[in-house]
Amino acid sequence: MERLGYQRQYKIQGKVNSVAAQEKCVMKLLIYHICVNLPLMIVSYPVFKYMGFTSQLPLPSWNVVCFQILSYFILEDFIFYWGHRILHTKWLYKHVHSVHHEYATPFGLTSEYAHPAEILFLGFATVFGPAITGPHLLTLWIWMSLRVIETVEAHCGYDFPWSLSRYLPIYGGADFHDYHHRLLYTKSGNYSSTFTYMDWIFGTDKGYRKLKALKAAEHQYEYVEEKVPKAD
């Protein structure tokens, strides 16, 4: 989509990353997945096993799967919010989190483009829920798939008519997180990963909500101008 300009009318920002910038992201992600994520998965396996992780039959009921995954989303969002806010303190931003913010115009793959220390730090939020509950492998696969889809969508840079944020008010989505990437680290806000209520509770989304209100008022004004006939 980035290369071909597909669905450009839904792109949040006008800027498009260069081919070199996209290739840089892809190459670093390959290195991170092999040198950071893979060893982390191997090391964490005994912990999951100790907590009751299994791949044996019978499969868990869908009630159990859905309850665990919803719990994981809530836990992950809470931990991620505070971890992300900490990463926006001056020293940590400069030495760690600024890597992720190299892309002020994010695209899907930049969701995992980050300093290795940040991958470990914020990755803890993703694995914490499964680590303390020892889920079935099926549940873990579904959770990880949904989490990756969510973070890629949040970084995709497109606000589609079918985006979940248009139908679920507490879901952040691409428009919510794109705002975070556009602003300076001290003023960005919108620190949550999936939902928006943590930012609302602690007032770290005020700038975003103000901007949305101004845009809505502007669109309303344009609509009225089109409908009201001009005097001769």
Side-chain angles (χ1 to χ4, degrees):
M1 290 173 67
E2 286 284 308
R3 297 281 181 93
L4 301 176
Y6 181 64
Q7 300 283 8
R8 187 62 57 82
Q9 69 269 32
Y10 301 121
K11 198 163 184 352
I12 299 168
Q13 298 187 49
K15 179 185 174 184
V16 176
N17 289 283
S18 67
V19 173
Q22 294 173 6
E23 290 177 349
K24 174 187 175 184
C25 178
V26 172
M27 292 306 298
K28 283 203 171 183
L29 283 186
L30 288 172
I31 294 170
Y32 291 159
H33 273 274
I34 294 170
C35 300
V36 180
N37 291 359
L38 181 60
L40 182 62
M41 284 188 282
I42 294 171
V43 170
S44 63
Y45 177 75
V47 177
F48 278 74
K49 196 72 175 175
Y50 176 78
M51 295 303 294
F53 173 80
T54 180
S55 58
Q56 303 299 314
L57 293 173
L59 297 176
S61 69
W62 284 112
N63 288 338
V64 171
V65 172
C66 291
F67 176 76
Q68 287 184 327
I69 289 175
L70 177 61
S71 300
Y72 298 163
F73 267 116
I74 294 171
L75 275 172
E76 189 277 338
D77 198 63
F78 178 84
I79 297 170
F80 187 98
Y81 174 84
W82 290 110
H84 196 183
R85 280 193 71 171
I86 291 170
L87 285 174
H88 273 263
T89 54
K90 188 173 181 179
W91 190 92
L92 283 173
Y93 184 89
K94 179 180 179 181
H95 297 282
V96 178
H97 194 48
S98 60
V99 174
H100 181 65
H101 278 269
E102 286 179 17
Y103 292 89
T105 307
F107 57 97
L109 291 176
T110 59
S111 58
E112 296 189 0
Y113 182 86
H115 191 285
E118 179 175 343
I119 294 173
L120 295 173
F121 186 52
L122 291 183
F124 171 77
T126 300
V127 301
F128 180 74
I132 63 173
T133 58
H136 192 277
L137 179 62
L138 174 66
T139 308
L140 185 63
W141 278 348
I142 295 173
W143 160 240
M144 294 303 296
S145 298
L146 290 175
R147 177 70 183 102
V148 170
I149 290 169
E150 179 276 320
T151 189
V152 169
E153 192 268 339
H155 288 83
C156 73
Y158 291 81
D159 187 24
F160 296 111
W162 56 85
S163 295
L164 185 58
S165 56
R166 294 179 180 268
Y167 305 99
L168 185 63
I170 64 169
Y171 181 80
D175 188 63
F176 184 80
H177 194 68
D178 201 272
Y179 174 87
H180 175 82
H181 274 263
R182 294 200 304 270
L183 270 66
L184 293 172
Y185 79 95
T186 54
K187 300 178 180 179
S188 56
N190 291 16
Y191 299 115
S192 298
S193 60
T194 304
F195 306 113
T196 61
Y197 59 84
M198 289 291 290
D199 282 283
W200 179 78
I201 290 171
F202 294 101
T204 47
D205 64 347
K206 289 181 179 178
Y208 172 73
R209 292 190 180 278
K210 184 178 180 181
L211 179 63
K212 294 287 286 184
L214 287 172
K215 285 185 176 181
E218 182 181 333
H219 290 158
Q220 181 66 23
Y221 179 76
E222 291 173 354
Y223 176 79
V224 171
E225 271 200 327
E226 289 176 1
K227 293 297 181 182
V228 176
K230 294 181 179 179
D232 294 332

